[in-house]
Amino acid sequence: ETGVTQSPTHLIKTRGQQVTLRCSSQSGHNTVSWYQQALGQGPQFIFQYYREEENGRGNFPPRFSGLQFPNYSSELNVNALELDDSALYLCASSPGDRGSETQYFGPGTRLLVL
Amino acid sequence: AQTVTQSQPEMSVQEAETVTLSCTYDTSESDYYLFWYKQPPSRQMILVIRQEAYKQQNATENRFSVNFQKAAKSFSLKISDSQLGDAAMYFCAFDTSGTYKYIFGTGTRLKVLA
């Protein structure tokens, strides 16, 4: 295992609702990145947080937002859910915002929007 | 913009045989990293092998090796002595300058036949 945990494992919401997904990074890892993996696709980069500040965003609208806390935990919030938001959401932690090490991925939260 | 292409949606290999998964990428950057990740069904994505672009020597990890052709922007993964446990989705990923903001390909599903 990678030492990165996510909760919940599965979630069902209806269109228009809001959702919060949680991630616990490896201890000492200051960077967390979030990815959306639609069914049958590769993960897509949503955004990254480094030392509690957003440090880059992919092509996702502002209704996708995040928080990172000093205790190596983080959240992904999605407002006004749409059907296309149904996906596996992965978080990944790394020791810094730049380096040659790999990221360590969590098991993901599978979100279904009805 | 960087792109990663995996042209083989699915591959099959007999147990104990060798299989090669293909990946091509496009970038104008000179400093980057390439990865192969394995995602077993309902399990965490784990790193298989990593290659730094500035290194000419191909990376090797036990039964896994890469053929990194920088000029051709090709990064294939060779799995030798395939085992049943190798069955999974394999994703090729690109990272510019070690920013941990990965770009993934669409994946190759590997089936290992007993």
Side-chain angles (χ1 to χ4, degrees):
Chain A
E1 300 304 323
T2 64
V4 179
T5 59
Q6 292 186 244
S7 63
T9 55
H10 295 82
L11 201 54
I12 300 175
K13 291 285 188 179
T14 56
R15 194 171 48 183
Q17 284 189 312
Q18 178 267 342
V19 68
T20 297
L21 311 182
R22 294 179 172 82
C23 173
S24 180
S25 301
Q26 278 198 19
S27 180
H29 281 192
N30 294 314
T31 301
V32 64
S33 302
W34 286 89
Y35 294 84
Q36 180 194 67
Q37 186 178 9
L39 197 62
Q41 300 295 317
Q44 280 198 300
F45 174 73
I46 302 174
F47 48 57
Q48 182 184 91
Y49 276 77
Y50 173 63
R51 293 186 174 178
E52 302 165 49
E53 298 285 332
E54 187 175 297
N55 185 41
R57 168 179 285 264
N59 189 26
F60 281 81
R63 59 188 185 85
F64 285 78
S65 63
L67 287 171
Q68 185 185 28
F69 305 100
N71 65 350
Y72 306 113
S73 67
S74 57
E75 293 179 354
L76 163 65
N77 299 289
V78 186
N79 294 322
L81 283 167
E82 300 177 359
L83 297 180
D84 285 348
D85 295 334
S86 295
L88 181 67
Y89 289 86
L90 301 170
C91 72
S93 74
S94 47
D97 71 327
R98 190 173 289 268
S100 61
E101 293 193 39
T102 183
Q103 294 183 85
Y104 296 88
F105 285 84
T109 293
R110 189 165 298 280
L111 172 65
L112 177 62
V113 182
L114 301 177
Chain B
Q2 290 85 8
T3 58
V4 176
T5 302
Q6 294 180 250
S7 58
Q8 305 155 317
E10 189 171 295
M11 294 281 285
S12 296
V13 62
Q14 288 290 139
E15 201 175 1
E17 295 296 308
T18 296
V19 65
T20 298
L21 308 184
S22 300
C23 173
T24 58
Y25 61 95
D26 189 23
T27 184
S28 58
E29 303 286 337
S30 58
D31 177 22
Y32 54 89
Y33 300 86
L34 294 162
F35 306 86
W36 278 98
Y37 276 87
K38 172 184 178 181
Q39 188 178 42
S42 302
R43 292 185 60 190
Q44 281 169 281
M45 191 172 299
I46 57 174
L47 177 69
V48 174
I49 200 164
R50 179 183 70 196
Q51 176 79 45
E52 293 92 337
Y54 64 86
K55 289 187 176 179
Q56 292 187 336
Q57 187 172 8
N58 290 325
T60 299
E61 287 287 343
N62 301 314
R63 299 183 294 108
F64 300 89
S65 61
V66 298
N67 183 5
F68 174 46
Q69 301 289 326
K70 191 171 184 178
K73 296 180 181 175
S74 170
F75 182 62
S76 60
L77 174 69
K78 186 172 82 171
I79 306 174
S80 303
D81 186 25
S82 297
Q83 301 175 359
L84 295 177
D86 295 334
M89 282 293 288
Y90 285 81
F91 290 99
C92 178
F94 174 98
D95 183 17
T96 301
S97 305
T99 61
Y100 302 115
K101 298 165 186 170
Y102 290 1
I103 299 170
F104 285 88
T106 51
T108 296
R109 181 175 301 281
L110 179 66
K111 295 184 176 181
V112 181
L113 309 173

